[in-house]
Amino acid sequence: MMEWIRFWMTAVLLLIGAASFASAVLGAWRFGFSMNRMHAAGIGDTMAILFVVAALFVSSANVMDALKLLFLIFFLWFTSPVSTHFLGQVEYYNNRELGKYVRRMEKTEEKPETEDKQEVEE
């Protein structure tokens, strides 16, 4: 009986993971702006990997294999958002036509608060 429960839990988690991958691919295909594509791919990638590795975690019989899969989930959850963030930063600083889509913050050099207060007092 327990084998059937593990089988169905694994199957459901794999189906959810496949649906997450499919939605990420659809989002990357449908969106026109590159940052929207990166967002769809990053979110779909993170969720899909979680469900697929969770399915492998449920189906594994060995405790050490399950522990390795748990470490894999944590590693991928930290590296995928960081790499997506870096790709977004490259797009932000190198795309000259980005002003059509987003408003960039201007870099202003402000004086520290202590200097401003001294000027007011004098």
Side-chain angles (χ1 to χ4, degrees):
M1 183 67 181
M2 282 301 290
E3 290 297 320
W4 281 103
I5 293 172
R6 284 177 55 194
F7 171 77
W8 285 110
M9 285 177 61
T10 302
V12 167
L13 289 170
L14 281 175
L15 288 174
I16 293 171
S20 297
F21 271 128
S23 67
V25 168
L26 182 66
W29 179 61
R30 293 281 304 194
F31 288 134
F33 183 48
S34 61
M35 290 209 181
N36 292 345
R37 289 180 178 188
M38 282 189 292
H39 179 71
I43 295 296
D45 182 38
T46 304
M47 291 306 295
I49 286 173
L50 169 71
F51 285 115
V52 169
V53 175
L56 294 172
F57 184 81
V58 168
S59 68
S60 68
N62 191 352
V63 174
M64 288 305 290
D65 290 341
L67 185 62
K68 290 175 190 177
L69 289 169
L70 189 64
F71 284 133
L72 180 69
I73 287 174
F74 287 126
F75 177 74
L76 291 173
W77 266 29
F78 283 114
T79 56
S80 179
V82 170
S83 62
T84 304
H85 174 75
F86 285 139
L87 285 172
Q89 291 293 312
V90 168
E91 178 72 18
Y92 180 80
Y93 289 114
N94 292 325
N95 188 353
R96 296 183 190 271
E97 297 179 5
L98 192 62
K100 294 178 188 176
Y101 304 104
V102 295
R103 182 178 43 178
R104 293 185 187 200
M105 295 180 66
E106 297 295 326
K107 290 184 179 178
T108 59
E109 295 194 25
E110 298 179 13
K111 296 179 184 177
E113 287 184 29
T114 56
E115 292 179 14
D116 291 339
K117 289 180 182 177
Q118 289 175 357
E119 289 176 7
V120 171
E121 292 175 359
E122 294 176 359

